[in-house]
Each structure stands twice: as C-alpha cells, then as structure tokens.
Amino acid sequence: MSILLPKENKKDISTIHYSLANSKNLLLIFTRNPELGKCKTRLAATIGDPSALEVYKFLLLHTARITKELHVNKKVYYSESIWKDDVWDEKVYDKKVQKGLNLGERMAQAFSEGFNNGFEKIIIIGSDMLDLSQSDLENAFLALDENDFVIGPAEDGGYYLLGMKNFKPQLFQNKEWGKDTIFADSMADLQAEKVNVLPTKNDIDVYEDIKDIDAFQPFLKHI
C-alpha cells in the first residue's frame, strides 16, 4: 500500500529549502496540552498517568525539533488553551486553539482557515510521532507539487499526516475518529483524486507501540 515519492521529486537539499521557503506552505501541528491525566490516556492505562505524561512531553520535544527548522509557516493548535514559554517557540510557531466538537471538525476548521488566509499547500500532523523526521515533512510538501493530496498511513489504521492543495471537507465528515478505519475511509474519499501515499509509520497510542523502542525504556522501568 505504501509508495515512495517518484524519482523526479527527489531534489538536492538546497533546492528543497529554496522551494519550501519561497512557496505558501503551512504546517499545522495538533497537540494536547501536556497535563497529568489528560494526554495519552490509553497508554496511561498500562504505564500510569505520570509516565504517560513524560512520554508525551518527550514526543512534544521531538516534534518541535523536527519542525523548528522547516522552511514553512507553522501553526500549533492546542487542545485546551495556549501556553507561553513551552516547547513551541513563539518566534517560530503561531499559536491557536482547536475549535470544533470532534477531531474532524477541528482539523477542518484549521485547514479552512489556512486556505482562507492564502496558503496554497497545507499539511497537518499530530505531536506523537517519534518515527517522523524533518526530511519526511519536506518530502511530503514536495509531493504536493505533482499531487493534489498526500497522506501518511499509520500502523493502527489511522494516518499520521494529511496534506492538500484544495480544501476537501468530505475528509473530515462521517468518520469514526480514533478507529482503525480512518485511513481506509479517507482513501475512499480520495479515490478520484491524485494522491501520494507515504510510507506507513508507527504512531504512539498504547503500550505496545513503545515497549520495544529503546528511546522509551527510561519511562518504562517500573513496568
């Protein structure tokens, strides 16, 4: 199911930075406020709330590191309220609060606002992907040069990245958010579109997602 970018999209790093810096690209980062008992609740069911919070803070730092130098506009959407002096440098990230009754409505609102503000290529990611790099994001934006949509399937049946050049509201409607059908349902919405499918990656939701990864072992010593 996963495919790599076509060879013609592979450019040297200077060309990548020039292209991204001189286009109207926007990265949306959806994040939860890192508060005890309010993040990574499925993971917390196994490792406890304090450890789950530390895991999430670790993932937030990783997401900030891989996005800070990305040559695009960046907006962080908090789940509850905007925090100052956190991992999201206000000189780098524009800060917003998610609006909507469910994840679909909140993502739709963020995409719609971005296109209304004149951005031409918009990509959304979460903040719980250790298996994601700056180059992955650069390649995803470049994929939109020759595709209308880009999507990165997650191993749990969801997706870790979604990007588009034109707003398609159907992608955010009639979905069972959090279920393992999200990627398949989204691909059904895109069957008539030109889509680039990125490699499948592992997002972090439950204990099984982290138990064999070295980077998380310091948080699991009590398990």
Side-chain angles (χ1 to χ4, degrees):
M1 177 176 287
S2 299
I3 58 175
L4 298 175
L5 294 177
K7 290 184 179 179
E8 58 268 24
N9 271 348
K10 293 182 179 178
K11 306 176 182 181
D12 64 50
I13 195 68
S14 61
T15 302
I16 288 174
H17 286 311
Y18 180 84
S19 174
L20 295 179
N22 290 277
S23 61
K24 294 183 177 180
N25 295 340
L26 173 63
L27 178 68
L28 307 171
I29 303 170
F30 264 39
T31 183
R32 285 189 175 275
N33 292 78
E35 298 177 297
L36 187 66
K38 294 185 178 181
C39 54
K40 291 297 162 199
T41 54
R42 286 189 288 167
L43 178 61
T46 302
I47 70 173
D49 287 331
S51 292
L53 177 59
E54 292 307 309
V55 167
Y56 191 55
K57 288 180 178 179
F58 172 74
L59 291 169
L60 291 178
L61 282 170
H62 172 75
T63 306
R65 289 191 190 103
I66 67 169
T67 59
K68 186 175 183 179
E69 301 299 328
L70 196 66
H71 289 215
V72 300
N73 292 273
K74 295 174 277 282
K75 295 182 185 289
V76 174
Y77 278 82
Y78 292 79
S79 60
E80 304 293 336
S81 61
I82 293 173
W83 287 10
K84 295 184 177 181
D85 301 320
D86 59 2
V87 299
W88 309 109
D89 186 344
E90 293 180 16
K91 296 177 182 178
V92 177
Y93 303 91
D94 187 15
K95 298 185 175 185
K96 302 281 188 176
V97 176
Q98 300 171 27
K99 297 179 181 179
L101 297 177
N102 58 47
L103 179 59
E105 288 186 8
R106 296 193 292 270
M107 289 195 294
Q109 187 276 332
F111 270 100
S112 179
E113 180 181 284
F115 284 119
N116 288 340
N117 287 336
F119 290 101
E120 297 173 355
K121 294 193 289 186
I122 303 178
I123 285 175
I124 192 168
I125 61 170
S127 50
D128 56 0
M129 286 291 301
L130 186 65
D131 191 20
L132 192 64
S133 68
Q134 179 177 327
S135 62
D136 290 329
L137 296 172
E138 289 171 341
N139 285 332
F141 275 106
L142 290 171
L144 288 173
D145 286 345
E146 299 182 11
N147 297 274
D148 296 316
F149 296 86
V150 60
I151 189 168
E155 291 180 358
D156 64 2
Y159 56 75
Y160 61 86
L161 179 153
L162 177 67
M164 63 191 75
K165 290 192 291 192
N166 295 289
F167 183 54
K168 190 177 182 69
Q170 296 96 313
L171 285 166
F172 309 106
Q173 300 167 353
N174 303 314
K175 303 288 190 301
E176 293 188 76
W177 301 104
K179 301 294 184 180
D180 61 4
T181 59
I182 293 298
F183 175 71
D185 292 343
S186 299
M187 289 300 290
D189 292 332
L190 296 171
Q191 59 183 341
E193 308 287 355
K194 192 172 182 181
V195 185
N196 184 279
V197 179
L198 301 174
T200 301
K201 293 183 179 291
N202 175 43
D203 60 358
I204 307 300
D205 290 312
V206 296
Y207 174 65
E208 286 71 24
D209 295 329
I210 68 172
K211 66 183 181 67
D212 297 321
I213 299 176
D214 289 343
F216 294 108
Q217 296 312 305
F219 308 111
L220 306 178
K221 291 181 179 179
H222 65 291
I223 298 298

